Amino acid sequence: MPANKLVNGVTILRCENLDEVSYFHIELSRSALLVAEDAFAESYVDRGNRGMFLNAEESAEAARRQELTPSWSSCAPLVEQGPELERIREHLALRAGIIPAEIMERPQQGPLIGYLEWADHVTVSGWAWLPEFPDTPVVLEIRDGAETIGRVIANLPREDLRKAGIGSSRHGFHLQLARSLDPSRLHSLSVVRAEDATHLPGSPRTLRAQPTLQRLQEFDLERLAVDSSDVEIVEMLSWLKQQQAKLSEILGASNASSSWLDLEVANALASRSVTRGAPVASSAATASSTRVTRVKAS
């Protein structure tokens, strides 16, 4: 899906003031999804634009020699229009707090029935229904104290509501917050009707600050080591060493007596070696079929 199809003017914008942009593409023997900076991206597929790259001739010759991905052959269908694109745009709009005008114009008054079923530092979910306007989805605001941190429409289908005979059963909501809440702070999460700030039953919910020790225990060094690059591993270990030195200074202990970090690092690197052994060998074997291309555009 082309990124320009997702521009909404609020959370996804086109950057206008750039002198130069550099694109780096990886071309494989077949189209595949790659993970770049924790986001999915597609490997290069020749859609007739190979000539715009700085190393166009070299990469074209390599593609012919190594029989790389045929032109226009993607690992998934290219979505540029239609209902699937509209559903994704609507989801992104709701996360950005953009509610379609036609929904905002519908009546939202009367009794508010439903329940705030789940609220944590990342997600909020439940259901909401207006019995006086049974076919109108409720527009809800999520607030942290007095600050509005999200908007959502209660229009998701719910099997339990269907069995209970509640409206059309499409009254559920689930929102992943655009930014996770700070677990070290106390939060009062409210879900209210956007029309008049009427609280949904079950709202507000108090999220207590997590103790420092609990947050540290959730820090999985082995998992981070497996998922990180070598450069990131070095940076992470350097930071941890600095924190160890600060704690040792505060506690009046010597670094030599604080051996927990050395043990954790040893476990992490051992796990990294075992987990990554096979994939590393596989990647080395296919490196010859990989090409990186670049283009500069003003």
Side-chain angles (χ1 to χ4, degrees):
M1 182 176 300
N4 63 357
K5 300 292 184 180
L6 304 178
V7 173
N8 60 22
V10 177
T11 55
I12 304 176
L13 306 170
R14 186 186 298 274
C15 190
E16 302 290 350
N17 301 317
L18 284 179
D19 295 329
E20 184 178 89
V21 177
S22 295
Y23 293 89
F24 294 84
H25 278 293
I26 297 177
E27 186 171 18
L28 305 175
S29 57
R30 60 185 176 86
S31 174
L33 289 179
L34 309 173
V35 179
E37 297 182 347
D38 296 326
F40 284 109
E42 185 183 16
S43 63
Y44 176 71
V45 174
D46 188 355
R47 295 189 173 93
N49 63 347
R50 189 183 293 273
M52 67 186 294
F53 291 93
L54 296 179
N55 60 343
E57 293 184 5
E58 175 189 346
S59 65
E61 176 58 30
R64 287 191 294 270
R65 186 173 60 254
Q66 300 184 37
E67 298 181 353
L68 299 185
T69 306
S71 298
W72 295 89
S73 178
S74 297
C75 60
L78 180 64
V79 177
E80 294 187 280
Q81 58 184 357
E84 184 176 358
L85 174 62
E86 292 309 311
R87 281 195 297 271
I88 294 173
R89 286 180 56 86
E90 180 178 326
H91 174 73
L92 293 173
L94 291 177
R95 289 194 62 184
I98 305 170
I99 306 298
E102 60 95 9
I103 292 181
M104 293 298 293
E105 292 170 358
R106 298 185 192 182
Q108 296 277 314
Q109 301 83 11
L112 177 61
I113 297 176
Y115 199 73
L116 171 56
E117 297 171 331
W118 182 265
D120 60 20
H121 297 86
V122 181
T123 58
V124 177
S125 61
W127 66 280
W129 181 50
L130 301 173
E132 292 187 4
F133 304 97
D135 297 325
T136 298
V138 188
V139 180
L140 301 167
E141 285 187 354
I142 290 82
R143 298 179 179 178
D144 181 13
E147 179 186 2
T148 299
I149 59 174
R151 276 191 169 191
V152 65
I153 299 176
N155 63 352
L156 299 179
R158 294 265 303 241
E159 181 63 17
D160 57 338
L161 299 183
R162 186 190 68 79
K163 290 180 178 180
I166 296 179
S168 66
S169 77
R170 299 185 64 89
H171 309 296
F173 65 89
H174 179 89
L175 178 67
Q176 181 173 341
L177 301 178
R179 181 178 301 170
S180 300
L181 300 177
D182 183 354
S184 67
R185 292 178 49 225
L186 178 71
H187 299 276
S188 179
L189 275 187
S190 302
V191 176
V192 302
R193 180 164 53 190
E195 172 83 6
D196 56 7
T198 298
H199 278 264
L200 187 68
S203 167
R205 292 282 183 91
T206 299
L207 302 181
R208 301 190 181 281
Q210 294 180 1
T212 302
L213 179 58
Q214 180 181 345
R215 299 201 306 275
L216 286 174
Q217 289 171 338
E218 294 175 355
F219 183 73
D220 189 344
L221 186 58
E222 291 187 28
R223 182 73 263 171
L224 284 173
V226 170
D227 293 339
S228 302
S229 68
D230 292 339
V231 173
E232 290 170 332
I233 286 286
V234 171
E235 292 177 347
M236 179 172 61
L237 295 182
S238 175
W239 180 85
L240 286 172
K241 282 287 188 181
Q242 294 173 10
Q243 303 314 304
Q244 180 188 15
K246 290 179 181 178
L247 285 174
S248 297
E249 182 179 350
I250 293 172
L251 297 174
S254 66
N255 287 338
S257 65
S258 303
S259 59
W260 66 270
L261 178 58
D262 295 326
L263 179 60
E264 288 295 313
V265 169
N267 290 338
L269 294 179
S271 172
R272 176 183 174 83
S273 176
V274 171
T275 306
R276 288 197 170 182
V280 167
S282 174
S283 297
T286 59
S288 61
S289 64
T290 303
R291 285 292 177 272
V292 180
T293 56
R294 178 180 177 185
V295 61
K296 292 187 177 181
S298 57

